[in-house]
Amino acid sequence: MPGVTIKGLTKRYGDLAALEGLDLRVEPGELVSLLGPSGCGKTTTLRLVAGFLRPEAGEIWVGDRCLSSPTSVVPPERRRMAMIFQSYALWPHMTVAQNVAYGLRLKPGVPKAAREARVKEMLKVVQLEGFESRYPGELSGGQQQRVAVARALVVEPEILLLDEPLSNLDANLREEMRFEIRRLHETFAITTLYVTHDQAEAMVISDRVAVLFRGRVVQVGTAEDLFQRPQTRFVAEFIGKTNLVDVIAAEPGVVTRGALRLRVSLTGLMPGASVVLSIRPHEIGLVTRGQCASPEHNVLTGVVQRASYLGDAVDYQIRLSGSDVALRVTAAPPALVRPGEAVTLAVAPEACVPLAEGRFAC
Ligand code: ATP
């Protein structure tokens, strides 16, 4: 089972650079999601890997084969890859069994009986036994997507490419299919690239997530890495909710903003340097009457500006005393403080994550 290596991939449409030197390594048997806002180049990357487009610069390698470069592109049918699209792309005039068998019929040397057995086996894997004679028009969206998955897997591809495969499904089914795709990946362990703009989907399905911004990978890591250790303002804001506070490094492990003084876990900041801190709303504790904040924590005071009940949480906005900073704080219900009331907050130094401000910050 080979991996995929993408080196310095650049693709232009006229003056627009859809990809600008994109680098990514997908290990053998790994599922990596390409996650990012609309127009950041996710589909373009997938189409280049599939061999539908030629890059202006860079290379795509699968194992020890270079499949794409500016001078040579191996055609899609010779790449040993399968692709699953948002639209399912099933043949409407073929039954479920014929759709799934389609790829196998193009493969030389697979006898009819073996083909039929493989199709049956695949339909069982995607839980569509008994649907063999139905036409796509007689299936729900989720069932059609399962047929598309079976059709892709039946040819035993080396690489699987999925382009927003769940976005046409309703919210409940989408959530169920995430677990299904993860289960299939754990069963077959095919090296997979999965395009999505849905953060939760990427986090559930992937071994690692590559966050794209303006045609480049800006950070790649496990869901936990990206959430706990974002490297840029963009990733911190894109993966989950966060508070971003511009501060100045004052002394080892301490940053300030006017009268606000915070201890942070990182000690190597250059005094006087501008730093952006990311503080997740759920990492900020409300210190209620009668409680004492731990001496290890940063203790802050403020006034509640807004308290919104969200069912499983309360989302507060709290203006810090003597400061222009307002923090979002997420706490378990019920609401303990109301707008206009004074409140004390406690934040651990390790919850104040300094970001590496770089050229991708926006
Ligand atoms: P989305 O989440 O909206 O599908 P994406 O991240 O998949 O977005 P791409 O489809 O890869 O983004 O497009 C990247 C950029 O390239 C966009 O600015 C898009 O408008 C542009 N683009 C894509 N295909 C073409 C094309 N055939 N001709 C011209 N521009 C294109």
Side-chain angles (χ1 to χ4, degrees):
M1 181 74 56
V4 178
T5 305
I6 302 175
K7 297 181 200 168
L9 204 59
T10 295
K11 176 70 200 166
R12 283 186 230 290
Y13 294 109
D15 288 343
L16 177 105
L19 297 185
E20 272 203 288
L22 182 139
D23 294 309
L24 182 66
R25 164 92 187 137
V26 186
E27 299 299 333
E30 189 183 31
L31 190 160
V32 172
S33 285
L34 304 179
L35 176 70
S38 183
C40 68
K42 304 180 293 292
T43 297
T44 301
T45 306
L46 211 66
R47 291 173 64 79
L48 280 154
V49 174
F52 296 130
L53 299 173
R54 176 186 295 271
E56 270 77 49
E59 291 177 349
I60 300 169
W61 289 72
V62 170
D64 57 4
R65 296 189 299 154
C66 179
L67 297 188
S68 292
S69 72
T71 50
S72 145
V73 174
V74 173
E77 65 277 10
R78 290 191 19 228
R79 292 195 164 216
R80 300 177 218 149
M81 294 182 184
M83 189 151 172
I84 300 176
F85 300 91
Q86 184 177 338
S87 58
Y88 320 132
L90 301 177
W91 298 108
H93 60 288
M94 289 186 189
T95 63
V96 165
Q98 287 165 339
N99 263 287
V100 176
Y102 184 76
L104 281 182
R105 287 170 59 180
L106 300 179
K107 254 189 161 180
V110 185
K112 188 162 181 264
R115 207 163 62 214
E116 284 173 1
R118 275 296 282 146
V119 169
K120 204 165 175 312
E121 189 189 327
M122 260 316 139
L123 288 175
K124 191 172 168 194
V125 166
V126 298
Q127 294 159 2
L128 278 180
E129 279 170 303
F131 286 76
E132 288 79 355
S133 329
R134 293 233 203 144
Y135 287 89
E138 299 168 333
L139 300 175
S140 71
Q143 289 164 341
Q144 289 183 47
Q145 192 52 278
R146 284 169 195 270
V147 177
V149 170
R151 186 180 58 181
L153 292 178
V154 80
V155 295
E156 298 179 42
E158 279 184 351
I159 311 292
L160 192 56
L161 306 173
L162 297 101
D163 191 2
E164 305 252 8
L166 307 184
S167 52
N168 280 344
L169 305 179
D170 70 44
N172 285 341
L173 192 54
R174 205 157 59 216
E175 207 176 332
E176 191 187 308
M177 284 296 287
R178 285 175 195 163
F179 298 123
E180 179 70 2
I181 288 187
R182 185 65 215 171
R183 177 183 72 84
L184 290 171
H185 180 69
E186 277 163 16
T187 308
F188 293 95
I190 298 171
T191 309
T192 302
L193 264 173
Y194 187 104
V195 163
T196 181
H197 62 268
D198 182 326
Q199 183 205 123
E201 190 171 304
M203 289 172 109
V204 169
I205 285 176
S206 321
D207 295 308
R208 288 188 304 148
V209 179
V211 183
L212 268 69
F213 183 60
R214 295 188 183 158
R216 292 174 204 234
V217 173
V218 288
Q219 192 171 346
V220 57
T222 62
E224 203 177 333
D225 273 342
L226 296 175
F227 190 81
Q228 306 275 10
R229 290 171 287 280
Q231 286 170 2
T232 62
R233 186 186 277 254
F234 173 73
V235 174
E237 284 188 305
F238 196 71
I239 307 287
K241 290 195 183 71
T242 198
N243 293 288
L244 294 177
V245 188
D246 291 298
V247 292
I248 304 286
E251 56 194 76
V254 176
V255 298
T256 58
R257 179 187 175 90
L260 178 67
R261 190 180 162 84
L262 289 168
R263 272 173 293 135
V264 300
S265 56
L266 211 65
T267 52
L269 298 170
M270 185 83 91
S274 297
V275 179
V276 179
L277 286 188
S278 166
I279 312 175
R280 298 285 182 194
H282 70 276
E283 303 267 22
I284 306 174
L286 287 178
V287 184
T288 49
R289 265 180 225 109
Q291 271 187 335
C292 276
S294 150
E296 317 285 300
H297 283 33
N298 293 294
V299 178
L300 310 168
T301 56
V303 172
V304 179
Q305 290 185 310
R306 195 188 64 218
S308 312
Y309 176 71
L310 302 175
D312 57 352
V314 183
D315 175 25
Y316 299 96
Q317 181 159 298
I318 292 165
R319 163 78 61 167
L320 298 184
S321 309
S323 166
D324 60 346
V325 173
L327 294 178
R328 295 274 294 274
V329 177
T330 307
L336 300 171
V337 278
R338 309 208 171 274
E341 286 183 19
V343 68
T344 302
L345 305 175
V347 195
E350 48 281 12
C352 302
V353 180
L355 305 177
E357 275 293 77
R359 58 204 163 119
F360 302 120
C362 59

